[in-house]
Amino acid sequence: MSRLAYGRDYEVVQWLRPEPMTVEEAAGQQKIEDVDFEIFRHKMNMIAQEGKETTMKLGASTGMRWGDVAFAIYTAQGDLAVVATGIWFHAVLGQIPVKYILKHFADEPSVRLKEGDSFFWNDPFYGGVHGADMGLAVPVFDQGKLVCFVGAVVHTGENGATDPGGMSNTARSRYDDGLLCPPIKVGERYTLREDILTMIGSHVRDPRTMILDIKARLAASRIAERRIQEVLGDKGPEFFIGGLRRILSVTAEAAKKKVALLSDGVYRQPRFLDTVGTESALVKINLTITKKDDGFKFDFEGSSPMFPDKPLNTYFHGILGLAMVYFCGWFFYDLPANNGLLETIEWHFPEDSFINAKGEVSTGLAPFPQTAFTLGMFLCGARMSYGLDPLRAVAAWYTGFGAPMFGGINQWGEPMADTFAELNATGCGARPDMDGVDCAGSYFATMSDCGDVESTEEDRPFLYLFRNYFRGSYGHGKYRGGAGLGYCLIPSHVPGVVLGAFGYGSKFPATVGIFGGYAVPPTFVQTVRGSNMKELLAQGSPAVPVNAEQAFQGNGAETGRREFHHSSMRIQPFQNGDTVYLPVGGGAGYGDALERDPEAVVADLRDGMVTPWAARNIYRVVYDDETLRLDREKTQALREGARARRKQRGKPYGEFEKEWLKLRPRDEVIKYYGTYPVSRAT
C-alpha cells in the first residue's frame, strides 16, 4: 500500500457526509434543466431498483432471497447518491468502503481502478453494521474516465464466526467474529478471480451460498453498469456527473429546511438492553438529541462502557447508519435516501463506550445496540415531530429481533448455515389514528419479506408445525401495536442440527410505547427435547398446538424435556423431532389503553387478537363471555374507577424521584452497566 500501513484506516470512516463539490460537478450542473433533472433522477432510481430486484432473484442466502438488500449508485468520489432499499442504514454506510477503495487503490500500482474490476468487503469497521452484511461494488467508466460506482450490500448470513449464521452470541474478540474482509479486488477484466473466491469460501461453513451471493451482486452491478452507460451515451458524462451531485445537494438543502420547521429543544431517551451475549445483564445507551436551527446534535455521554470480551459492541458509524432508519422511513420520507441527509447531523460518542468500539473487541451482536438506539430515535422523533406533523409521531415497531440461527448438513447432503427470515414479520407500531399493522415486516428492512414456509422446508431440514399471528405480542394502548409472529420449527429429514437464537427483550422490553402506550411484552424461546410431536402428528391428534399461545401454555399432549431460553439462546444441538417455539414481537402501543374504543377491543376478541384477560384488566371492557355483547355502561364505570385509582396512587414528582433513586438493581444485573445510576466507565 502506498498511503497506509497494514491496519485500520480511522480517517476514512469519518467521511460520512458528502465530499466537497468538484469543479467538474459544479460545471456539470450548469447544463441541467429542471425537467431533465427529474427525468434523470427517476432513471437513476429505476436503475437502482432493477439492480435490487436482480440481486434478490439470483442470490442464495435467506437475507438475499427475502429482501435484506440495498443497491446503490455512488458518485466518482464515493458518495451514495441513489439507493433502492428498505434497509435504510446502507444509505449512508455503503459509501465508506467505496471511499476506502478510492483512497487506497485508485493510484496504487499493484491494484488501481480499471474497467471490469469488482471489489468485495464485509469488515464492519468499514461497513458499519456486522460481518454478515457484505458488499460488492464496481467502478463505471466513460471513455476511460471514472464516472461512478454501482454495487449491492446484502446480509448473506454465514461468515465463519464462532457461531454459525452470522450472529455470534459467544464471541469474545474480533478474532471470533469470522471473516472480516476490508475492501479487496475480487475480479478484473469482467471476470471474478477464482483464487480469491476459493479463499473467501474456505472461511465460511456454507461456501456455496457465499459464492452465489457474490456472483448475484456482481451480475446486478453489471446490468446497472450497462444501463448507466446508455445514459452516458445519451446525455454525456458532464450531465451525468453533475446530475448525481445535484441529487445530493437538493437532498441536503431540503433536509435542512425540514429540520428548521421543528421546534428547538433537547430530547432525551435512555435505552436499555438486557443481554451482553448469552448472559443476562442490563446495559444502557444514553441518547440526547439537541435540535437547533436546521440541524441535530447527537450526544451519547452516559452510555455503558465497552465490553472487552463480549460481542455487544458496535462501531459509531453503525449507530449513525441506524439513525437513517427513522430519518429515511419516517421523517425525511419524502426526500431521496442518501448521505446528503447527514448534512443535518453532528455527533459525539464517548471514547470508552460500547457504542464506539475500538481495538480488538467483538462486534458480533452490533445490531442489538444499533436497533435499541433506533427505538430511541422513534421516541425522540415522535416528540419532536408531533407539533409539525402529528400523524408521523408514531409508536415503534418491534426492535428485539427474535430469530434462530442454525448450521449443519441439510437433507440434500449440503453444508448449511444461516438465519431464518421470520424477523421480517414484526408488528408495526400503533399510529396516532389507528392500530399498527399485524406482521407488517421489519422496521429496519421495510421492503423485506419473511419468506414462505414451502420454500424454506424445501432446502432446509426443518418442518414448520405452525406459523401465524401471536396474539398479545404487541403493546396495548388507545391504538394497539400490530401483532407479531409465532412459529414452531422441528428438525426433520436429518439426524440433527445445531441451532441457537439471537435477540434481546426477554427480561426488559425491547420496544416501549409512546404517549402512554404499553411496551411490547418480553419474548423468549421454548424448546422441547425428546418431543413426541411427530407421533402426535402421525396420529392426527387434536392436541397438537396450532399457535404460540397454546404451545407456551404447555398443557397439551406434548411430552419431553421442556426448557425456556433467553432470546439470545446459545447454539446447541437439537435432534430430529425436537421442537423449538419462537415468537417475533409486535409493535408498541400509542396512547392510554383506557381511551381505546371498547368496540375495537371486542372486535379483537372476536378475531382472537387480544386475550380475555387483557380485555378485562388492561382495557377495562365488560362484555358477555358467550355472545361478546359489549356492556357500555359497566365499561364506562369500570374505566372511571381505574382512573380514580390512578389518581390515588399519584404523588408529586419530587417525592417520586426521591423514592425512585433509593432503588437499585442487584449487582449481577448491572455488572456491565458502568457506574449506577449515571453510566460511565469505572
Side-chain angles (χ1 to χ4, degrees):
M1 282 182 150
S2 58
R3 302 188 189 182
L4 178 74
Y6 297 103
R8 289 173 168 175
D9 184 345
Y10 289 92
E11 180 185 48
V12 75
V13 297
Q14 302 286 340
W15 297 351
L16 290 163
R17 299 188 185 89
E19 298 300 305
M21 187 181 301
T22 66
V23 173
E24 190 173 18
E25 287 174 331
Q29 294 188 58
Q30 303 302 316
K31 301 181 179 181
I32 304 175
E33 300 291 338
D34 289 345
V35 173
D36 288 338
F37 173 68
E38 289 303 319
I39 294 172
F40 170 78
R41 189 165 68 89
H42 177 74
K43 182 69 173 177
M44 292 300 103
N45 284 327
M46 291 301 98
I47 291 172
Q49 188 66 34
E50 183 182 18
K52 173 179 174 287
E53 296 297 326
T54 302
T55 308
M56 291 174 58
K57 286 180 171 61
L58 296 178
S61 66
T62 297
M64 188 167 285
R65 287 186 298 167
W66 304 119
D68 197 336
V69 176
F71 193 92
I73 302 172
Y74 308 85
T75 70
Q77 295 191 87
D79 291 314
L80 190 152
V82 179
V83 65
T85 184
I87 317 294
W88 297 117
F89 41 87
H90 295 308
V92 297
L93 296 177
Q95 65 185 337
I96 298 175
V98 177
K99 291 182 177 181
Y100 179 97
I101 292 166
L102 285 163
K103 177 180 179 181
H104 296 292
F105 297 150
D107 299 322
E108 167 57 45
S110 65
V111 186
R112 296 199 185 279
L113 298 181
K114 300 180 288 295
E115 193 168 348
D117 286 347
S118 52
F119 294 84
F120 169 85
W121 67 86
N122 86 311
D123 188 341
F125 181 76
Y126 300 106
V129 186
H130 64 145
D133 282 341
M134 308 181 187
L136 181 141
V138 304
V140 180
F141 292 83
D142 180 76
Q143 303 296 318
K145 177 181 178 59
L146 177 69
V147 293
C148 71
F149 286 80
V150 295
V153 180
V154 185
H155 178 101
T156 283
E158 166 60 17
N159 70 316
T162 299
D163 297 322
M167 297 280 285
S168 179
N169 288 331
T170 58
R172 301 187 63 183
S173 76
R174 67 187 297 260
Y175 305 110
D176 296 324
D177 285 343
L179 176 68
L180 302 177
C181 182
I184 182 175
K185 184 183 287 191
V186 294
E188 50 193 354
R189 301 185 185 91
Y190 293 97
T191 303
L192 286 169
R193 288 186 50 172
E194 290 299 327
D195 57 342
I196 301 296
L197 295 186
T198 300
M199 184 273 293
I200 292 174
S202 70
H203 280 72
V204 300
R205 297 171 177 86
D206 189 351
R208 172 181 170 274
T209 296
M210 168 68 85
I211 303 307
L212 284 175
D213 276 11
I214 290 176
K215 291 182 176 180
R217 294 180 185 91
L218 180 59
S221 297
R222 292 303 178 203
I223 291 174
E225 180 183 28
R226 290 200 298 271
R227 299 284 187 261
I228 287 172
Q229 287 171 341
E230 291 170 3
V231 176
L232 288 164
D234 182 37
K235 306 297 289 187
E238 295 83 3
F239 178 96
F240 181 87
I241 291 170
L244 287 186
R245 183 66 202 208
R246 184 167 176 179
I247 292 173
L248 288 166
S249 300
V250 167
T251 300
E253 181 180 352
K256 289 180 179 180
K257 289 181 178 178
K258 188 162 189 177
V259 173
L261 297 175
L262 299 174
S263 298
D264 289 353
V266 179
Y267 304 84
R268 296 182 175 89
Q269 188 61 56
R271 288 294 303 121
F272 301 94
L273 292 107
D274 62 357
T275 179
V276 290
T278 56
E279 185 177 358
S280 294
L282 197 68
V283 297
K284 181 181 180 182
I285 300 172
N286 199 44
L287 171 63
T288 300
I289 300 177
T290 301
K291 187 273 162 180
K292 185 176 181 182
D293 299 330
D294 60 0
F296 301 106
K297 172 70 178 292
F298 290 3
D299 195 323
F300 295 90
E301 283 291 342
S303 298
S304 291
M306 194 161 56
F307 312 120
D309 61 350
K310 298 290 181 180
L312 200 65
N313 306 284
T314 175
Y315 297 114
F316 81 93
H317 38 297
I319 294 288
L320 296 176
L322 267 291
M324 292 301 106
V325 172
Y326 174 74
F327 280 137
C328 294
W330 277 264
F331 185 67
F332 294 128
Y333 61 92
D334 49 355
L335 297 180
N338 58 53
N339 67 314
L341 299 174
L342 286 180
E343 294 281 18
T344 65
I345 302 174
E346 297 180 10
W347 52 83
H348 166 68
F349 290 83
E351 287 296 321
D352 60 349
S353 176
F354 80 113
I355 54 173
N356 189 13
K358 300 288 177 62
E360 299 182 341
V361 299
S362 170
T363 56
L365 295 182
F368 289 15
Q370 292 164 3
T371 54
F373 151 76
T374 311
L375 174 61
M377 284 295 305
F378 270 87
L379 296 171
C380 288
R383 300 197 298 270
M384 285 191 293
S385 63
Y386 188 86
L388 174 65
D389 187 358
L391 290 181
R392 288 277 161 179
V394 299
W397 297 29
Y398 183 66
T399 63
F401 296 105
M405 48 195 178
F406 60 89
I409 303 296
N410 68 10
Q411 62 267 47
W412 310 110
E414 300 168 334
M416 61 168 193
D418 209 335
T419 62
F420 284 83
E422 275 75 17
L423 80 164
N424 293 330
T426 68
C428 169
R431 293 161 284 182
D433 57 346
M434 65 182 77
D435 293 343
V437 177
D438 300 324
C439 291
S442 172
Y443 85 98
F444 66 84
T446 51
M447 299 302 291
S448 297
D449 192 272
C450 65
D452 57 80
V453 168
E454 292 78 13
S455 293
T456 303
E457 291 180 339
E458 173 65 23
D459 67 351
R460 304 300 192 202
F462 296 96
L463 171 69
Y464 281 83
L465 183 62
F466 59 80
R467 191 180 78 171
N468 46 35
Y469 293 146
F470 184 12
R471 72 172 181 171
S473 58
Y474 50 79
H476 303 287
K478 179 179 181 180
Y479 298 105
R480 68 165 177 85
L485 194 68
Y487 60 111
C488 174
L489 298 170
I490 306 176
S492 187
H493 307 301
V494 295
V497 298
V498 294
L499 188 144
F502 61 90
Y504 59 95
S506 294
K507 304 286 187 179
F508 189 96
T511 304
V512 298
I514 189 71
F515 301 145
Y518 277 57
V520 173
T523 59
F524 57 90
V525 178
Q526 174 184 292
T527 61
V528 180
R529 298 179 183 276
S531 171
N532 64 334
M533 188 57 68
K534 282 196 170 183
E535 287 81 359
L536 294 174
L537 288 170
Q539 297 165 8
S541 171
V544 171
V546 297
N547 56 46
E549 183 182 11
Q550 291 180 7
F552 290 148
Q553 287 172 350
N555 54 9
E558 183 177 16
T559 60
R561 190 170 80 251
R562 190 166 178 244
E563 300 173 339
F564 296 97
H565 308 266
H566 194 284
S567 291
S568 281
M569 181 179 75
R570 184 184 295 269
I571 286 278
Q572 51 196 280
F574 287 88
Q575 302 302 311
N576 188 313
D578 293 344
T579 54
V580 182
Y581 299 93
L582 302 117
V584 178
Y590 182 105
D592 188 349
L594 295 183
E595 295 180 5
R596 183 165 178 77
D597 183 352
E599 292 285 4
V601 178
V602 172
D604 277 345
L605 279 167
R606 192 171 289 115
D607 294 339
M609 296 304 293
V610 70
T611 64
W613 186 93
R616 291 192 175 94
N617 294 280
I618 295 178
Y619 293 112
R620 302 291 180 177
V621 171
V622 181
Y623 60 93
D624 184 274
D625 289 334
E626 294 184 3
T627 65
L628 297 184
R629 184 183 296 275
L630 174 68
D631 190 322
R632 286 190 172 274
E633 290 185 2
K634 290 184 178 180
T635 295
Q636 182 177 353
L638 194 64
R639 289 183 167 184
E640 288 176 354
R643 292 188 178 98
R645 287 189 294 275
R646 285 180 179 177
K647 293 178 181 179
Q648 292 173 356
R649 294 194 306 268
K651 58 186 66 176
Y653 180 77
E655 182 181 337
F656 162 78
E657 184 181 38
K658 191 176 297 184
E659 295 176 4
W660 179 261
L661 291 176
K662 294 178 182 178
L663 303 176
R664 177 186 174 91
R666 299 189 310 273
D667 288 344
E668 62 267 27
V669 174
I670 55 174
K671 62 186 296 186
Y672 300 108
Y673 187 90
T675 57
Y676 186 87
V678 179
S679 178
R680 55 180 177 266
T682 56

